[in-house]
Structure formats: structure tokens, C-alpha cells
Amino acid sequence: MITRQIIELLQQLLHSLQNGELVGMGFQRRARRRELAARVTEELKRLTAPAHPAIREARERWATTSFLRIDQDERVIEVNPDGTTWVRAWVKISTVFPARADTRDRRSFEAAVADMPEEMRQIFLAHALDGLPYEAIAEQLHVDVAQVQLQIGLALARLDEAVAQAREMPE
């Protein structure tokens, strides 16, 4: 993720390049300084430009969720050949599982895990119970890391929904 500090650093570098302050640091050729200044300028324009409409829409759409966050400085989007746009986001992962087997939360949790599609359940359990990193799971199951991330996110959403529904029902 791009942070305010990186933008400020690039701005300071650009200022130094434009004012010839880096001559003593090996930047002795004017053409090279101008080239670097142009690259930094372009990168700063990209980093400080308004968010892509897809990012704005994703932030608005998910603003009220408790499990998904899209950073304010996010700039990366991916467009599939079919026109689908993807925006990077953070998924909140709770490491606290309902501990007691006789609780409604635990029963809902276990039922939701059992109802998951096979691949989703394998990926979720490998990460949540075995503590395997995404890369190891992807290699083990012969899938992309992005697929592992997607399946864990979907699994967490299912679990959150199942436990929330269970809490709404009378005992």
C-alpha cells in the first residue's frame, strides 16, 4: 500500500533532483537528473490522483461491513477480460473460535464449516487450524494464491453470517 510517507519522500526527491542538490551523490549528468525527475513526477501524479471509480464504489459498497476494509491510499485495480473489476481489500480474520462445544455459536460455526464446498473447507481449515500460509496452501492444492485468499474470505463471510444468524434466533 502506498503511504503518505512514500509520497512525501518522492516529493522531496523530486525537489532535490530539480534543484541539483544530488550532484555530489553520483547524479552528475543533467540529462539523467531530468529523466529521474520526470519518472518521479509521473509516479507522484499516479499516486496522488483521485481513486479509480471502481475503488470509490467498492469503498462505498463495503463501508458498513465489519470484516472488509479498503485502504484510503489504495490505487491498484485489476480488470478481467470479461470487464469485471477487482479492488484489493483487507479481510478481517478473527482467530477466536467458539471454544465450548455445547454453545450455539460453536454448533453454528461447525455446521457452517461442514456446509462449505470442499475446496473452501480445505483451504479454510488448512489456514485456520493448521496455520499454513496462503502460499503453502496454494502449492499443496495446486491453485493460485489469489484463489486461496478468495476462498478464505468467502469462508469467513459464511462463518460470520452463520454465527450472526444463530445469535438472532431464540434459544
Side-chain angles (χ1 to χ4, degrees):
M1 303 294 162
I2 303 303
T3 64
R4 180 94 254 21
Q5 293 93 345
I6 292 172
I7 291 172
E8 289 171 4
L9 177 65
L10 286 172
Q11 288 170 334
Q12 291 171 4
L13 176 61
L14 178 60
H15 176 77
S16 296
L17 286 168
Q18 290 172 333
N19 293 322
E21 296 172 13
L22 299 179
V23 172
M25 297 175 65
F27 294 96
Q28 302 199 359
R29 293 180 25 219
R30 255 189 213 146
R32 178 73 176 139
R33 280 199 318 266
R34 279 195 301 267
E35 175 191 335
L36 288 172
R39 287 175 53 198
V40 170
T41 299
E42 285 305 308
E43 194 59 25
L44 276 170
K45 282 181 192 174
R46 189 182 69 77
L47 293 175
T48 57
H52 186 279
I55 294 173
R56 284 195 307 272
E57 181 182 339
R59 281 193 193 118
E60 290 168 7
R61 194 179 291 185
W62 295 101
T64 59
T65 66
S66 61
F67 64 90
L68 186 67
R69 183 186 84 218
I70 300 168
D71 291 341
Q72 289 302 312
D73 59 358
E74 183 58 59
R75 297 279 184 248
V76 178
I77 63 163
E78 179 181 313
V79 181
N80 289 353
D82 68 357
T84 305
T85 304
W86 291 88
V87 176
R88 289 192 310 193
W90 292 91
V91 176
K92 180 179 178 183
I93 297 177
S94 173
T95 56
V96 180
F97 293 94
R100 293 184 34 221
D102 63 340
T103 66
R104 183 172 27 168
D105 284 356
R106 179 66 182 235
R107 288 188 302 271
S108 300
F109 180 88
E110 288 175 351
V113 171
D115 287 342
M116 289 178 187
E118 182 63 27
E119 181 183 53
M120 181 186 293
R121 185 173 49 253
Q122 284 181 333
I123 289 172
F124 173 74
L125 292 175
H127 183 67
L129 297 181
D130 300 337
L132 293 178
Y134 294 168
E135 294 79 10
I137 298 168
E139 185 177 320
Q140 195 174 56
L141 298 177
H142 307 291
V143 297
D144 296 321
V145 172
Q147 179 68 8
V148 172
Q149 293 170 329
L150 174 66
Q151 292 300 318
I152 288 175
L154 293 172
L156 291 170
R158 279 180 179 225
L159 293 171
D160 184 55
E161 185 177 315
V163 171
Q165 285 178 352
R167 288 181 179 165
E168 291 173 359
M169 294 172 52
E171 295 248 9

